[in-house]
Amino acid sequence: PFPQTRLDECTLPLEFRACLFGLCFFHGVMLGRKRFGQQGWSRKYGFNMGDLTICADVLQTYLDDGGGRVPWDDLRYIFGEIMYGGHITDFWDRKTNNTYLEVSFTESLLKCEELGHAFTSPDPETHKTRESYVDHLKTNLPPESPLIYGLHMNSEIAYLNSATNALLSTILRLKTGSKAG
């Protein structure tokens, strides 16, 4: 959702690119956990692209005004407690949300360290274009699994059972409905 011009606007482009990638990854995890129902979040939260866009604006503002440094703690608080946390009503969901930020939104984004299970952040020194970040995702992002969300592999079984039950229930309702007419 961010064009190349946006990646180049910030006064700290290297830090902005790295942090924005981390923020996009975090956003993806927040959305991806929904799929696992109660094991992912205790309820459905309305995370959306507006959250990511506003967080990117806040990130750029803080970096432009931050005196040449990344205020990691301030940004994690704003993203975790206010921006995304503003949607979250459950204590444990909020703790999960903030833990993701504590683990992934750190200086490790600048050092090509592990961002999620079997996935490292791209090197902001060599990844200067939007296309290079997309290529990094295409070549390095592991297949989707519960591990990328910090969940146990059995979460996939529970999700598949739930999805199968929902599908079969719908088929049975359709079949029953066709006999009534």
Side-chain angles (χ1 to χ4, degrees):
F2 300 104
Q4 184 63 43
T5 53
R6 180 68 193 272
L7 297 179
D8 298 331
E9 286 176 346
C10 187
T11 57
L12 298 174
L14 183 133
E15 290 84 353
F16 181 69
R17 288 192 307 266
C19 290
L20 185 60
F21 186 86
L23 193 55
C24 289
F25 181 80
F26 168 75
H27 181 75
V29 169
M30 295 296 99
L31 295 177
R33 272 186 79 102
K34 283 192 218 182
R35 158 183 172 193
F36 296 99
Q38 293 291 329
Q39 292 180 30
W41 296 114
S42 68
R43 62 181 298 272
K44 292 188 182 214
Y45 295 111
F47 304 125
N48 57 53
M49 286 303 295
D51 298 315
L52 177 59
T53 303
I54 291 169
C55 286
D57 293 343
V58 168
L59 172 64
Q60 183 175 352
T61 300
Y62 266 71
L63 292 180
D64 285 342
D65 298 340
R69 65 173 191 83
V70 179
W72 297 105
D73 291 334
D74 295 350
L75 291 169
R76 279 192 298 269
Y77 180 82
I78 291 169
F79 301 154
E81 292 292 336
I82 299 169
M83 308 309 283
Y84 285 85
H87 295 285
I88 299 173
T89 56
D90 181 78
F91 170 80
W92 293 108
D93 288 347
R94 182 178 300 275
K95 191 153 186 69
T96 299
N97 173 62
N98 288 329
T99 299
Y100 276 119
L101 285 168
E102 287 172 20
V103 171
S104 64
F105 198 77
T106 66
E107 285 189 68
S108 65
L109 290 169
L110 302 170
K111 300 174 184 170
C112 310
E113 293 177 7
E114 190 172 71
L115 186 57
H117 178 74
F119 182 63
T120 58
S121 61
D123 181 1
E125 293 277 354
T126 58
H127 289 79
K128 297 180 188 231
T129 65
R130 182 183 188 281
E131 290 76 29
S132 68
Y133 281 97
V134 171
D135 289 342
H136 180 81
L137 288 170
K138 286 180 180 177
T139 57
N140 297 304
L141 191 64
E144 187 174 18
S145 80
L147 296 175
I148 200 84
Y149 305 110
L151 298 169
H152 190 274
M153 283 303 292
N154 287 346
S155 299
E156 184 77 12
I157 295 168
Y159 161 73
L160 293 172
N161 283 336
S162 175
T164 301
N165 287 337
L167 176 65
L168 293 175
S169 175
T170 301
I171 291 170
L172 288 173
R173 278 197 320 270
L174 290 172
K175 183 179 177 192
T176 304
S178 67
K179 287 184 181 179

